[in-house]
Amino acid sequence: MPSPFGIIERIFALTKNRWLSDLHWVRAGQQTRSQKTQAALLDAAETLFAEQGVEHTSVAAIARQAGCSVGAVYHHFRDKKAVLYALFTRLTDEIGATTQAAVDPNRWQGATIVDIVHGYLEFLLRTEQGKIAFKHLAMEYARQDDELREHFVALQAELDDGLTRLLLARRAEIAHPEPRIAIGFVLDQLSSMLAARANTSLAPTQLGSRPDKRFEREVLRSVSSYLQLATPAKEDVS
Amino acid sequence: MPSPFGIIERIFALTKNRWLSDLHWVRAGQQTRSQKTQAALLDAAETLFAEQGVEHTSVAAIARQAGCSVGAVYHHFRDKKAVLYALFTRLTDEIGATTQAAVDPNRWQGATIVDIVHGYLEFLLRTEQGKIAFKHLAMEYARQDDELREHFVALQAELDDGLTRLLLARRAEIAHPEPRIAIGFVLDQLSSMLAARANTSLAPTQLGSRPDKRFEREVLRSVSSYLQLATPAKEDVS
DNA sequence: ATTATCTATAGATCTATAGATAATGC
DNA sequence: ATTATCTATAGATCTATAGATAATGC
């Protein structure tokens, strides 16, 4: 009979997320070096996946890049797919936290619609390129995986809902006849353009060659004219 | 010494394209059934690649789906990659031809900017979903392949240039202070939104749930207000 | 004693070829 | 006679495991 301490603990590494099935465990390390190795493996995998794609990255290559052996990989992760899931978690936890902070109404006290849209642009345009490359890859991979797809959709909805609330609270600024619809349209417009611009290799011709500042200016002009923004009615903003 | 007829003809299958290196040949069939098999193989590959991705589709699976053997695949194509290249060609030739027809100035005699944008939307929203799925996959694959990426960028530029010319010819309608910049921005906006909307699995929340007609209406409203379109000056349109 | 790591390798694919067989059309 | 197809398989990966060795920390 094994001692209680001898039992291998298989935990749901990604407890914050809804979408984790039994298959995606990672080992809960009990030594300091365990955590270091695990982090090194995830970093290595993230780099290689983004560079070469998941399929072209062998487990051996991940181990090599992380400076450990193949055996170590399988000590920490059930299989190659579990590595990918763990990376998803790291990414989506980060995005989720950022989103929550970004759409907090207190953060935007007294801000106009233009201020909010501007802040949104500023933030996403300055996000680290490596992260974006991996996010793209992750979303592409999520197409073929129901669990991951739902998770991404939920994340996007969280951001959309938060922004919608912020803008709806300022609907007094909007002269467009259907403010709700107009807000939804603007948010889609923004996320589409930012997604396209983030695609470094195949970005649209014009966007790619235009600096951020000019891009921001035209986006704000477009949003303002479409929503028919009036002078902000400060007293309506909670 | 082999007879002249015995020499295997390795042709550049995709002679219309600039980007073909020696590696991407397909056999020039000399019998009727050869063409049929080749077409069946390409159809099979297109379906499977779009469904499962290139890496998860084995050559054996392509052969099975096409109703022939693995040997037949290699009789027609140098290797698996050549199948993909041939599919690219089929796709890009089609896109190229459509683009040329679409941006022909004669086609748009007397049309306003709104007419042109509307036509562009109508056409792309009605393009077959299967084609779009494969195009997405192809673009994703092109990220890692310089030749293919350049080819796609050139195609996109062709469309952009043609549309820019059409709209610039109607600049009298535009009250935006910088018509050239505004046109570039609008074209990017359109292609970004259409790309996002075409992504069936991960489309933005609002766009995905909104029918085409309403989407078109808001796009036209956005473009009109951003460009500050006036009553079209018909006499300026060539 | 327990946990983490390494080395070596079995087993499962999958690609691409060789060589035999069948169909085509001059 | 030439072209197209099939069957069978060699050779190259790549995943995941087994079993041995090294490090940790109670």
Side-chain angles (χ1 to χ4, degrees):
Chain A
M1 182 179 169
S3 88
F5 300 102
I7 296 169
I8 292 176
E9 290 184 25
R10 296 187 170 193
I11 62 154
F12 292 73
L14 317 163
T15 42
K16 287 185 204 160
N17 293 291
R18 286 140 283 184
W19 45 276
L20 287 170
S21 66
D22 198 13
L23 299 172
H24 314 140
W25 66 273
V26 305
R27 193 179 298 272
Q30 302 185 11
Q31 293 182 6
T32 316
R33 62 176 176 155
S34 181
Q35 293 170 34
K36 279 187 189 167
T37 305
Q38 210 171 98
L41 283 169
L42 288 175
D43 290 339
E46 182 168 330
T47 306
L48 293 175
F49 286 171
E51 275 175 17
Q52 322 170 343
V54 178
E55 314 304 334
H56 285 128
T57 303
S58 70
V59 173
I62 297 170
R64 201 181 317 123
Q65 170 94 4
C68 65
S69 71
V70 172
V73 178
Y74 287 95
H75 176 74
H76 289 280
F77 303 94
R78 166 178 280 230
D79 52 21
K80 190 176 164 184
K81 200 165 189 181
V83 179
L84 184 62
Y85 274 81
L87 281 173
F88 268 100
T89 306
R90 220 167 58 160
L91 178 71
T92 55
D93 281 356
E94 210 178 301
I95 295 176
T98 307
T99 298
Q100 281 208 320
V103 300
D104 177 5
N106 296 322
R107 190 193 170 89
W108 296 103
Q109 290 271 2
T112 63
I113 287 181
V114 167
D115 293 334
I116 293 170
V117 171
H118 192 225
Y120 177 57
L121 282 176
E122 282 276 323
F123 177 73
L124 284 185
L125 288 174
R126 273 148 199 70
T127 302
E128 195 195 333
Q129 285 298 317
K131 280 284 166 210
I132 289 179
F134 179 69
K135 189 187 170 192
H136 250 267
L137 177 113
M139 291 181 71
E140 197 58 31
Y141 203 89
R143 281 167 168 260
Q144 288 163 14
D145 186 309
D146 293 343
E147 250 181 330
L148 297 182
R149 194 171 57 243
E150 279 172 29
H151 193 54
F152 261 118
V153 168
L155 264 180
Q156 179 70 36
E158 206 173 315
L159 178 59
D160 267 5
D161 291 350
L163 287 171
T164 300
R165 269 193 297 275
L166 288 175
L167 299 192
L168 264 182
R170 291 158 179 81
R171 76 167 78 190
E173 296 180 37
I174 301 173
H176 185 293
E178 299 174 282
R180 280 186 174 276
I181 290 195
I183 287 171
F185 182 78
V186 163
L187 293 182
D188 282 351
Q189 224 176 15
L190 291 174
S191 70
S192 302
M193 291 198 92
L194 288 166
R197 196 178 170 90
N199 185 346
T200 43
S201 52
L202 287 163
T205 338
Q206 321 280 348
L207 281 178
S209 58
R210 197 176 301 158
D212 286 351
K213 279 297 163 200
R214 167 150 265 173
F215 171 71
E216 285 178 23
R217 204 186 63 195
E218 296 306 315
V219 168
L220 292 178
R221 192 198 290 268
S222 171
V223 169
S224 300
S225 59
Y226 168 69
L227 293 178
Q228 302 173 244
L229 295 185
T231 313
K234 293 273 182 186
E235 62 277 13
D236 279 15
V237 179
S238 71
Chain B
M1 183 178 167
S3 88
F5 299 102
I7 296 169
I8 292 176
E9 290 185 25
R10 297 189 168 189
I11 63 152
F12 292 72
L14 318 164
T15 42
K16 288 187 206 160
N17 293 289
R18 287 140 283 184
W19 46 275
L20 287 171
S21 66
D22 199 14
L23 299 171
H24 313 139
W25 66 273
V26 306
R27 191 178 300 271
Q30 302 184 13
Q31 292 181 7
T32 316
R33 61 177 178 156
S34 181
Q35 294 171 32
K36 279 187 188 167
T37 305
Q38 210 171 97
L41 284 169
L42 288 176
D43 291 339
E46 183 169 329
T47 306
L48 294 175
F49 285 171
E51 274 175 18
Q52 323 170 341
V54 178
E55 314 304 333
H56 284 129
T57 303
S58 70
V59 174
I62 297 170
R64 200 181 318 123
Q65 170 95 4
C68 65
S69 71
V70 173
V73 178
Y74 286 97
H75 177 73
H76 289 281
F77 302 95
R78 165 177 280 230
D79 53 21
K80 190 176 162 185
K81 201 166 188 180
V83 179
L84 184 63
Y85 274 80
L87 281 174
F88 267 100
T89 307
R90 219 166 62 159
L91 178 71
T92 55
D93 281 357
E94 209 178 303
I95 295 176
T98 306
T99 298
Q100 281 208 321
V103 300
D104 178 5
N106 296 322
R107 191 193 170 87
W108 296 103
Q109 290 271 5
T112 64
I113 288 181
V114 167
D115 293 334
I116 294 170
V117 171
H118 192 225
Y120 177 57
L121 282 176
E122 281 277 324
F123 177 73
L124 285 185
L125 287 174
R126 273 148 199 71
T127 302
E128 196 195 332
Q129 285 299 315
K131 280 285 168 208
I132 289 179
F134 179 69
K135 189 187 170 191
H136 250 266
L137 177 114
M139 290 181 73
E140 198 58 30
Y141 203 89
R143 283 167 166 261
Q144 287 163 14
D145 185 309
D146 293 343
E147 249 181 332
L148 297 182
R149 194 171 57 245
E150 278 171 31
H151 193 53
F152 261 118
V153 168
L155 263 181
Q156 177 71 34
E158 206 173 315
L159 178 59
D160 267 3
D161 291 350
L163 286 170
T164 300
R165 269 193 297 275
L166 287 175
L167 300 192
L168 264 182
R170 290 157 181 81
R171 77 167 79 193
E173 297 179 38
I174 301 173
H176 185 294
E178 298 173 284
R180 279 187 174 275
I181 291 195
I183 287 171
F185 183 77
V186 163
L187 293 181
D188 282 351
Q189 226 177 14
L190 291 174
S191 71
S192 302
M193 291 197 91
L194 287 166
R197 195 178 169 90
N199 185 344
T200 44
S201 52
L202 287 163
T205 338
Q206 321 280 347
L207 281 179
S209 58
R210 197 176 304 157
D212 285 352
K213 279 297 163 199
R214 167 151 265 174
F215 172 70
E216 285 178 20
R217 203 186 64 193
E218 296 306 315
V219 168
L220 292 177
R221 192 199 288 269
S222 170
V223 169
S224 300
S225 58
Y226 168 68
L227 293 178
Q228 302 173 245
L229 294 185
T231 313
K234 292 274 182 186
E235 61 277 13
D236 280 16
V237 179
S238 73

